[in-house]
Amino acid sequence: MNKLPAVLMMLCASVLPGAALAEVVTVYTSARVAPLVVSDDQGIYPDLIRYLNRHAPGGLSFRLEYLPRKRLQLKVENGELNGIVIGMMPRWFDDAAQKKYLWTTPFALDRYVVVLPAGQAYSQAKPGALAGRSVGMVLGYSYPDLESWVRRQGLIRNDAPSDDKSLEKLQLGRVDSVAAAESVVRYYMKVHGIREDKLQLYGLPSSPTERRFLVPHSKAAVYEKIAPVIRKLKDDPEWQRLVSRYE
């Protein structure tokens, strides 16, 4: 008889709404560069996943998973992705009209810059100023907005596994310049104590980088829950405090 209360409690718990297991949504990223991903549990993306787990409507649980860019793009385009993607732009997936996939509003804005050693002459108004020199970029990444700039300048692309590695090569004199997102460059300078007068940053002729969530239409129910949360980020002091740590 003494086992009956315990059995009844287990049965009751199994039918309570709060006891239902949350659906685990995998959030894919191809980023392995700070401040987007500093470590497995630090960076803008891990912080945003935790934020979603606190603020998204019930029934969902989010976890971040890395997938190399080419594999990620293939899975998205072939309709094989069982999850959503963080930090993407419609143009990168040939979806400027935002019809192929569902897109949240941007949760971060960035821009591409070229990074040069102090004293290196450069002018956007003089194509070819860097002719024959190398520019560090990320292996496997395409840069549609920058391709014409690279050609006009006569630069030679030199790939590395990440922007951090390209910036290390610049410091060691193994590349002449680096093209990367400004947030990545400034965070790298902050962490490594590089003074502003040691490197030159020039904005490149490209559209701003809008970091959004890409959601396949098969995950429309997930989109309906996270889109309002992402839309309100810019007005949430909690999120602003979190992201300010990486600036």
Side-chain angles (χ1 to χ4, degrees), residues 135-170:
V135 58
M137 291 180 159
V138 177
L139 180 68
Y141 273 56
S142 61
Y143 299 78
D145 284 356
L146 301 184
E147 288 174 359
S148 61
W149 171 77
V150 171
R151 286 196 304 271
R152 286 198 312 273
Q153 289 296 336
L155 284 159
I156 302 166
R157 181 166 170 167
N158 184 302
D159 285 348
S162 68
D163 289 317
D164 281 359
K165 293 298 182 183
S166 287
L167 291 165
E168 287 178 18
K169 289 165 73 174
L170 181 66

Side-chain angles (χ1 to χ4, degrees), residues 117-130:
Q120 171 65 56
Y122 175 75
S123 171
Q124 290 277 26
K126 295 180 180 178
L130 302 175

Side-chain angles (χ1 to χ4, degrees), residues 22-243:
E23 175 191 351
V24 178
V25 179
T26 302
V27 183
Y28 290 97
T29 178
S30 60
R32 274 186 167 174
V33 61
L36 304 179
V37 178
V38 178
S39 65
D40 287 345
D41 62 353
Q42 287 188 320
I44 293 174
Y45 289 0
D47 279 353
L48 186 46
I49 298 306
R50 282 191 291 271
Y51 182 95
L52 280 177
N53 282 328
R54 291 194 301 272
H55 295 282
L60 296 179
S61 175
F62 300 87
R63 67 181 182 90
L64 190 64
E65 183 171 318
Y66 172 79
L67 200 62
R69 177 61 181 266
K70 286 188 176 180
R71 284 178 57 196
L72 178 58
Q73 186 133 3
L74 279 173
K75 280 184 174 291
V76 171
E77 293 174 349
N78 293 338
E80 299 171 352
L81 191 74
N82 184 25
I84 65 178
V85 190
I86 189 174
M88 294 295 165
M89 289 180 62
R91 289 201 318 279
W92 294 347
F93 287 83
D94 191 26
D95 192 23
Q98 299 185 32
K99 299 292 185 181
K100 293 182 181 179
Y101 314 103
L102 301 169
W103 297 90
T104 66
T105 55
F107 60 83
L109 296 176
D110 211 339
R111 67 168 184 163
Y112 278 106
V113 296
V114 61
V115 189
L116 297 163
Q120 171 65 56
Y122 175 75
S123 171
Q124 290 277 26
K126 295 180 180 178
L130 302 175
R133 297 179 180 271
S134 57
V135 58
M137 291 180 159
V138 177
L139 180 68
Y141 273 56
S142 61
Y143 299 78
D145 284 356
L146 301 184
E147 288 174 359
S148 61
W149 171 77
V150 171
R151 286 196 304 271
R152 286 198 312 273
Q153 289 296 336
L155 284 159
I156 302 166
R157 181 166 170 167
N158 184 302
D159 285 348
S162 68
D163 289 317
D164 281 359
K165 293 298 182 183
S166 287
L167 291 165
E168 287 178 18
K169 289 165 73 174
L170 181 66
Q171 291 288 96
L172 295 171
R174 293 168 53 195
V175 293
D176 300 306
S177 63
V178 171
E182 184 174 13
S183 65
V184 170
V185 176
R186 294 203 178 277
Y187 187 79
Y188 180 91
M189 294 174 67
K190 175 182 176 180
V191 169
H192 293 276
I194 300 172
R195 299 199 316 266
E196 295 280 341
D197 61 349
K198 292 297 182 180
L199 294 176
Q200 304 176 79
L201 276 63
Y202 296 94
L204 291 178
S206 63
S207 303
T209 300
E210 300 177 338
R211 306 196 190 280
R212 304 171 181 250
F213 282 86
L214 178 160
V215 183
H217 286 281
S218 61
K219 294 286 185 183
V222 174
Y223 176 83
E224 292 301 326
K225 290 187 176 182
I226 69 169
V229 178
I230 301 303
R231 195 178 303 123
K232 295 175 182 177
L233 278 179
K234 60 182 176 61
D235 300 315
D236 187 350
E238 177 191 350
W239 175 247
Q240 296 306 319
R241 283 194 300 272
L242 285 171
V243 78

